[in-house]
Amino acid sequence: MTVNDIYKFIDEIAPFKYQAGSDNCGIIVGDKNAQVNKVLVCLDVTNDVVFEANKKGVDLIISHHPLMYSPVSTIKKSDPLHALVSSNINLIAVHTNIDIASDGVSDLMLCALNFPKSNTPIIPIGGENTGFGRIIQIDEPMSAKELAEKCKAAFNSTVIRYVDADKPIKKIGVSSGSAAETVDMALDAGCDAFICGEVKYSKLLFAKDHGLTLIEAGHFHTENIFCDDMVTRLKARFAGINAEKAANSVDVCSYV
């Protein structure tokens, strides 16, 4: 198979045309006609990931976060981009296009939480049932602490930070990674709680003032679920493909 074969498959499940205007998804480095024998999937392209890919003879890295979002004027030897190009490894970034897709990252969050699948995005974009975030209604109300503990277990989060609105939670919004206007729109949609990776401090204050339970489960932790899912999808589509999650796709932060 070629890089383009895999690109076209990803485009089927998460059309690249729906990526956010500030994003940089698609074939970032390499040749679309290059042959692919081994694929490594990661959240972020770091030097450690490129070193691992080089050692394992990987032809293509598929990352969630793009390696760069804007034109690059300088490439230093310590930059992962330098290592990637020097190693002749191709790169496809699959970011906001799969964030908003049906069965995308928000749906993976719901699955990890053992919540039902949702057809209601917080911010509708593109086709039917697509958009940033998802909204669900649960049958049995939960407390903020119960939901925070559920998030910690579901996403294997090291630390959970949350604002407790001190009211029963039945309607829940979720969105992976960073959240900005999604918080406001989850509140406008009538959510009792909103789960995301991270928000600015001002949004924590906003949530407290407006009676919204807001849970930060970690940017890495809410999006790392992308990796195993992409490996599973690749193996289901391409018989005999050699694809795996990068061992070095890890949270770079330490906690005390």
Side-chain angles (χ1 to χ4, degrees):
M1 73 198 75
T2 65
V3 170
N4 200 44
D5 291 330
I6 295 176
Y7 171 87
K8 288 196 286 188
F9 162 63
I10 296 172
D11 193 49
E12 291 173 12
I13 61 175
F16 287 100
K17 67 181 181 180
Y18 292 136
Q19 66 180 286
S22 59
D23 208 1
N24 188 28
C25 302
I27 302 173
I28 305 300
V29 175
D31 175 8
K32 69 177 184 178
N33 297 314
Q35 295 294 310
V36 176
N37 296 303
K38 193 165 188 179
V39 180
L40 201 63
V41 181
C42 63
L43 189 66
D44 299 285
V45 181
T46 63
N47 281 319
D48 288 340
V49 167
V50 179
F51 177 81
E52 177 184 348
N54 205 11
K55 187 175 181 180
K56 291 179 175 179
V58 166
D59 309 291
L60 171 66
I61 293 175
I62 298 176
S63 69
H64 184 47
H65 293 139
L67 185 52
M68 59 278 199
Y69 288 89
S70 55
V72 176
S73 58
T74 303
I75 304 175
K76 298 179 180 179
K77 192 171 183 180
S78 57
D79 294 335
L81 180 57
H82 184 282
L84 195 66
V85 173
S86 299
S87 302
N88 197 30
I89 297 172
N90 302 279
L91 171 64
I92 296 177
V94 189
H95 192 211
T96 50
N97 58 313
I98 204 163
D99 283 340
I100 71 169
S102 180
D103 293 322
V105 180
S106 293
D107 294 306
L108 294 178
M109 289 179 69
L110 292 175
C111 182
L113 287 161
N114 199 28
F115 285 151
K117 183 178 176 180
S118 168
N119 292 322
T120 308
I122 298 174
I123 305 177
I125 295 174
E128 185 179 359
N129 303 333
T130 64
F132 288 105
R134 295 290 184 270
I135 297 173
I136 57 131
Q137 191 94 21
I138 57 176
D139 295 327
E140 296 295 329
M142 304 178 69
S143 69
K145 185 180 180 186
E146 287 172 331
L147 184 56
E149 290 173 341
K150 188 176 181 68
C151 288
K152 186 172 184 179
F155 305 123
N156 195 27
S157 302
T158 308
V159 175
I160 294 285
R161 185 168 70 159
Y162 68 100
V163 170
D164 188 347
D166 195 26
K167 66 180 182 182
I169 295 168
K170 292 196 70 175
K171 193 171 185 179
I172 302 170
V174 303
S175 186
S176 65
S178 298
E181 71 275 10
T182 323
V183 179
D184 305 59
M185 297 189 75
L187 179 67
D188 291 342
C191 291
D192 304 308
F194 179 65
I195 303 165
C196 62
E198 60 177 335
V199 291
K200 291 182 177 180
Y201 179 68
S202 60
K203 288 300 180 183
L204 298 172
L205 298 177
F206 172 87
K208 184 65 175 177
D209 286 336
H210 291 82
L212 175 70
T213 290
L214 180 55
I215 298 176
E216 283 186 314
H219 194 130
F220 170 84
H221 300 87
T222 56
E223 294 192 329
N224 190 45
I225 50 180
F226 157 84
C227 300
D228 286 329
D229 179 69
M230 180 55 66
V231 169
T232 299
R233 292 185 195 235
L234 289 169
K235 288 183 175 180
R237 177 58 176 267
F238 300 100
I241 190 173
N242 191 338
E244 63 179 276
K245 177 184 174 182
N248 284 290
S249 184
V250 296
D251 187 359
V252 297
C253 295
S254 297
Y255 303 86
V256 295

